[in-house]
Amino acid sequence: SSARLERYLQLCAEHNIQVCIPTTPAQVFHMLRRQAIRPMRRPLVVMSPKWILRHKLATSSLEDLANGEFLPVIADSDIDVNKARRLILCSGKVYYHLLEERESRGIDDIAMVRIEQLYPFPDEILLSVLKQYTALEEVVWCQEEPINQGAWYSSQHHMRAVIDNYQPSLPLRYVGRAASAAPAAGYMSAHLEEQAKFVNEALSF
């Protein structure tokens, strides 16, 4: 809760550093491998919560590990691109909260795309993913952190630029916790209540 992602993102400019939030073992492996073999190594900031290490859905196949590569953006392969009316953009473990709730509700018209590299922002890759969707009515950014923390303030202009290149009339809005002076709620019950509220908002029309 005190990693302060937003502080690293405020330092990002002129491709000086990389900020990544891998959500699978294969992503971690290929991210580190990419860093080791690339000719120009820039500082790599990795946000990787311990919670993901224990999650039953955060797994990778041997094929992904052996023959895959680091994906700055992970598209949603479970939802029909011609049927999705809302696209949720997110990073990190909030994806798994959203995924479990979407599956429990049987929702089939809300797609979720993970941005695994927040800087340098993968504009072209995200645009290529967006272009696959034909029926989108809105795009939502969902994050665990309060609105004044996390990636929203530092990354929304990147997302808006991509959306404008795809469909200028398509709205982008924030879904998550309200502004807070502290990085955590302080009580687990309050944390879970806030989480349930914004997950429900992200998955409700």
Side-chain angles (χ1 to χ4, degrees), residues 121-139:
F121 195 84
D123 307 78
E124 294 182 4
I125 301 174
L126 181 57
L127 180 59
S128 67
V129 171
L130 273 176
K131 287 181 175 178
Q132 299 175 31
Y133 293 91
T134 60
L136 286 183
E137 298 174 5
E138 68 171 346
V139 179

Side-chain angles (χ1 to χ4, degrees), residues 8-200:
Y8 289 102
L9 291 175
Q10 287 173 347
L11 298 173
C12 294
E14 301 175 325
H15 289 235
N16 59 336
I17 63 176
Q18 308 160 88
V19 179
C20 297
I21 309 182
T23 56
T24 70
Q27 284 288 91
V28 173
F29 172 74
H30 291 296
M31 175 191 64
L32 295 176
R33 180 178 181 273
R34 180 185 72 167
Q35 181 74 356
I37 66 174
R38 66 186 354 168
M40 173 64 78
R41 295 183 192 170
R42 303 193 188 280
L44 173 62
V45 177
V46 182
M47 297 285 170
S48 185
K50 296 187 293 293
W51 184 90
I52 290 181
L53 292 173
R54 302 187 294 269
H55 200 278
K56 61 184 179 181
L57 296 178
T59 60
S60 297
S61 66
L62 290 177
E63 176 68 20
D64 290 336
L65 286 162
N67 300 313
E69 61 181 341
F70 179 73
L71 302 173
V73 175
I74 300 181
D76 193 333
S77 59
D78 298 326
I79 299 296
D80 185 347
V81 293
N82 298 312
K83 195 173 182 179
R85 295 190 293 145
R86 174 182 294 165
L87 179 65
I88 299 175
L89 301 177
C90 60
S91 288
K93 75 186 187 76
V94 70
Y95 166 76
Y96 291 106
H97 296 309
L98 293 165
L99 179 62
E100 289 181 312
E101 188 64 20
R102 186 180 71 177
E103 290 180 348
S104 70
R105 298 186 187 190
I107 295 172
D108 62 359
D109 59 355
I110 298 178
M112 297 185 300
V113 169
R114 283 170 278 178
I115 300 179
E116 303 269 297
Q117 179 176 291
L118 288 166
Y119 191 84
F121 195 84
D123 307 78
E124 294 182 4
I125 301 174
L126 181 57
L127 180 59
S128 67
V129 171
L130 273 176
K131 287 181 175 178
Q132 299 175 31
Y133 293 91
T134 60
L136 286 183
E137 298 174 5
E138 68 171 346
V139 179
V140 166
W141 169 258
C142 184
Q143 67 178 33
E144 284 266 349
E145 301 90 348
I147 190 172
N148 59 317
Q149 300 169 35
W152 174 243
Y153 281 163
S154 296
S155 300
Q156 61 173 298
H157 65 287
H158 292 297
M159 292 181 271
R160 291 187 193 279
V162 173
I163 293 170
D164 284 346
N165 284 329
Y166 164 67
Q167 186 179 320
S169 61
L170 194 64
L172 168 69
R173 66 184 179 91
Y174 167 87
V175 171
R177 291 182 167 88
S180 172
Y187 293 95
M188 180 57 70
S189 58
H191 171 81
L192 294 176
E193 182 179 346
E194 291 173 353
Q195 177 179 292
K197 183 178 179 180
F198 74 71
V199 166
N200 179 64

